[in-house]
Amino acid sequence: MPLAGAIARHAGERPHAPAFRMEGRVFTYGKLVADACRILHGIERSAGLATEQSVLSGRVRLIALETGNHPLFAAAFIAATSGGNCAALIDPHLPDLTRQRMKEKLKPEIVIRAAGDLLLLEVPSAGQTHSLDTFDGSSPIRVGDEAEPFLVVFTSGTTGGPKAIIRDRRSWRLSLEIGQDFFGLRPERTTYAPGPLAHGLALYALVESLAAGAEFIGPRHFEARQALDIIGAARAKRLVLVPTMLRRLCDEAEGAHLRCVEKITVAGAKLTPADRSAAARTFPAAEVIEYFGASELGFITVAGADEHHAATAVGKAFPGVRLAILDDRGNRLPPGEAGTIFVDSALISDGYMVGGDNVGFRRHGRLATVGDLGSLDEDGTLHLIGRAGGMVLSGGNNIYPSEVESAIMAAASVQSVLAFGLDHPDFGSELVAVIQPSDDRFEREALERHLADALPRYKHPRKVWLCREMPMTASGKIAAGQLRQWIAEENGALERLF
């Protein structure tokens, strides 16, 4: 069922059931729909003032949501994706210049921004900004056509500029139908997802929760102690988060057990055996599921507790997804041989809208790829050996940082790691790594012995720094740009190991 139809049904049948919670504010399904109708009325009134059309050229109205994690985000998203509208999600934590360039390319009719607990509706072409409270009225939420574009999200390009990915309604409706059964979503299964709602992981968790009639809880900002308190108090049954957030929850729990959690869904990076052990101690009743995907392709693979958890394994094909490994000429490769990972599914996006760099997403007949490299086992397990654009060419050798990171994460006393290339006058590039130790027992000699057993010499990082607290992005990933800057300026936050 379309999201608009599902939410309207929940509001009619269970108007007082909790739907969305943030910063102590709880929105029932009845309240959520009422707020969404009020915001939609504001959008329609404001759009009448626009003097220019968006990059979508009148196909639908384009609404840029620049609120970040805000108590009114869920209602604003429902309004901005109502039939005839398309929402473009812009993370307010991005640099001002980056956000400005994104909006210049999209030319949205309306930009919705946060001002404390209020929302502002900006009409860029008219140079006007109005508070939501300016508009008195309500417009009904409408179900849109399947082929209608309804969502624009951004992913980083290989050249560093954000690339806009556009989706139609059909792909997400199919994804929600498949995911509701696969993830076991039910009205009584409260979900806690601490990531930014402008990004795919937390956003999808919100939408699938609302479609199922369940409650979604999200914070404005992630803080491990506060998160544990919320999970316990709300008796949250499901967590959706990235590995770094799961590690911080387990570290902060300090041996405490939260038995209310039944499922933990992880994406964005691979869990280590130590991560799984820590999760089993902190959340002893929880089933841990990892999935590998891409904003352009949707779900690709999924791995449960009984799956193959080798350093490079990312699970088997998600339901309804078919995998293929092709060589540079488009020929299928047999099991065990590495090539480019291609996907065939109904969950694939329409591709890049604006801001693409002609690298990444491309099609080969029904198949699509973002350039990731890997191989398939005989049993269908996918192994990821390199992410698109990440290869380091050092002294004539091709090195994939993700393979090196997987090897280092398996070493003792390692909590997180980032490997990447730096310019080198003789080798072209040299592989380096920054490691966050998990405790004071980390030893250089033990790392070197581990690398000698795990990787050929040319894949060993030539330089390694220790960082006691990795800088993180809003989505819970390691801030690679910040680490590069710290290395360049010899920042004291890094300790040179060798």
Side-chain angles (χ1 to χ4, degrees):
M1 178 181 291
L3 177 63
I7 292 175
R9 186 190 71 189
H10 301 321
E13 297 176 352
R14 303 164 51 241
H16 303 297
F20 181 73
R21 186 189 310 190
M22 182 172 287
E23 296 295 307
R25 295 180 64 180
V26 179
F27 296 78
T28 63
Y29 274 94
K31 172 65 172 170
L32 182 63
V33 169
D35 283 345
C37 291
R38 182 168 60 95
I39 295 171
L40 179 58
H41 180 73
I43 288 173
E44 292 174 342
R45 290 285 301 275
S46 299
L49 305 172
T51 60
E52 296 179 7
Q53 291 184 336
S54 75
V55 71
L56 295 176
S57 301
R59 294 170 61 194
V60 290
R61 185 187 298 122
L62 184 58
I63 316 299
L65 276 184
E66 200 175 354
T67 65
N69 285 24
H70 188 277
L72 289 173
F73 177 90
F77 180 80
I78 294 168
T81 56
S82 174
N85 290 342
C86 178
L89 301 183
I90 297 178
D91 188 344
H93 295 97
L94 291 172
D96 291 344
L97 183 58
T98 300
R99 287 184 283 117
Q100 186 59 37
R101 287 173 176 168
M102 292 160 76
K103 287 180 284 189
E104 287 173 354
K105 292 175 180 177
L106 294 178
K107 300 179 181 177
E109 281 89 354
I110 305 293
V111 177
I112 300 179
R113 295 186 290 106
D117 289 336
L118 303 177
L119 293 182
L120 300 178
L121 278 67
E122 177 183 326
V123 188
S125 62
Q128 297 184 29
T129 300
H130 303 276
S131 170
L132 176 62
D133 294 341
T134 304
F135 306 101
D136 184 18
S138 177
S139 296
I141 301 299
R142 297 180 295 276
V143 173
D145 183 82
E146 282 196 342
E148 191 177 70
F150 91 108
L151 181 64
V152 177
V153 295
F154 286 87
T155 185
S156 296
T158 56
T159 58
K163 296 192 288 188
I165 303 163
I166 188 165
R167 282 193 170 275
D168 61 25
R169 298 181 187 275
R170 178 177 178 273
S171 65
W172 260 45
R173 288 174 184 173
L174 287 172
S175 181
L176 290 172
E177 290 174 8
I178 297 170
Q180 186 164 340
D181 291 335
F182 182 83
F183 291 115
L185 294 170
R186 301 186 296 271
E188 70 275 11
R189 181 158 278 167
T190 297
T191 292
Y192 176 80
L197 292 168
H199 295 244
L201 182 61
L203 174 70
Y204 192 84
L206 166 65
V207 174
E208 64 183 355
S209 295
L210 295 180
E215 180 183 11
F216 176 92
I217 304 174
R220 283 200 176 186
H221 307 284
F222 175 69
E223 194 280 314
R225 181 69 263 163
Q226 180 189 57
L228 290 171
D229 292 341
I230 292 173
I231 293 166
R235 306 292 297 168
K237 293 187 176 182
R238 178 172 177 250
L239 309 182
V240 180
L241 68 183
V242 295
T244 52
M245 291 177 175
L246 180 59
R247 288 175 200 134
R248 292 187 180 186
L249 290 179
C250 294
D251 290 344
E252 185 66 31
E254 296 180 337
H257 306 303
L258 280 80
R259 298 184 179 276
C260 61
V261 178
E262 298 174 350
K263 285 185 178 291
I264 300 175
T265 301
V266 178
K270 185 173 170 58
L271 292 175
T272 67
D275 292 333
R276 286 185 167 270
S277 296
R281 291 192 298 270
T282 306
F283 306 101
E287 175 191 9
V288 178
I289 298 175
E290 294 180 75
Y291 75 78
F292 165 57
S295 299
E296 299 92 331
L297 305 176
F299 295 115
I300 298 175
T301 61
V302 63
D306 298 328
E307 300 291 337
H308 181 38
H309 295 298
T312 56
V314 291
K316 297 180 181 179
F318 195 81
V321 174
R322 186 168 62 91
L323 303 175
I325 307 298
L326 306 184
D327 64 18
D328 292 340
R329 291 178 289 183
N331 300 313
R332 290 179 180 269
L333 294 172
E337 289 197 26
T340 302
I341 302 168
F342 279 82
V343 174
D344 178 14
S345 84
L347 311 182
I348 297 170
S349 73
D350 293 335
Y352 300 133
M353 178 180 174
V354 292
D357 51 16
N358 297 318
V359 178
F361 180 84
R362 57 187 172 92
R363 287 189 174 273
H364 182 77
R366 289 179 52 87
L367 300 172
T369 185
V370 290
D372 288 334
L373 304 176
S375 64
L376 282 169
D377 284 348
E378 292 279 0
D379 67 355
T381 297
L382 179 66
H383 291 261
L384 180 68
I385 63 171
R387 302 304 301 257
M391 186 186 76
V392 175
L393 180 60
S394 180
N397 295 308
N398 296 339
I399 306 171
Y400 296 98
S402 60
E403 179 186 10
V404 178
E405 290 169 354
S406 296
I408 294 176
M409 284 297 295
S413 301
V414 174
Q415 178 165 320
S416 61
V417 60
L418 185 72
F420 51 91
L422 293 178
D423 291 339
H424 190 279
D426 298 322
F427 298 105
S429 293
E430 63 177 346
L431 184 74
V432 305
V434 181
I435 297 173
Q436 180 177 343
S438 60
D439 52 49
D440 294 333
R441 292 174 293 178
F442 181 86
E443 296 179 353
R444 169 181 172 170
E445 293 76 12
L447 174 66
E448 291 176 331
R449 289 194 298 270
H450 174 80
L451 288 174
D453 292 336
L455 295 170
R457 180 63 191 172
Y458 75 89
K459 294 184 179 180
H460 293 195
R462 293 177 58 82
K463 295 176 183 175
V464 173
W465 289 265
L466 299 184
C467 182
R468 299 296 170 180
E469 190 68 35
M470 287 284 206
M472 310 300 293
T473 66
S475 58
K477 297 182 180 180
I478 298 172
Q482 186 69 64
L483 287 178
R484 286 178 178 272
Q485 182 178 340
W486 284 357
I487 290 173
E489 66 188 21
E490 299 182 353
N491 192 292
L494 301 180
E495 173 189 341
R496 180 72 178 271
L497 188 67
F498 59 81

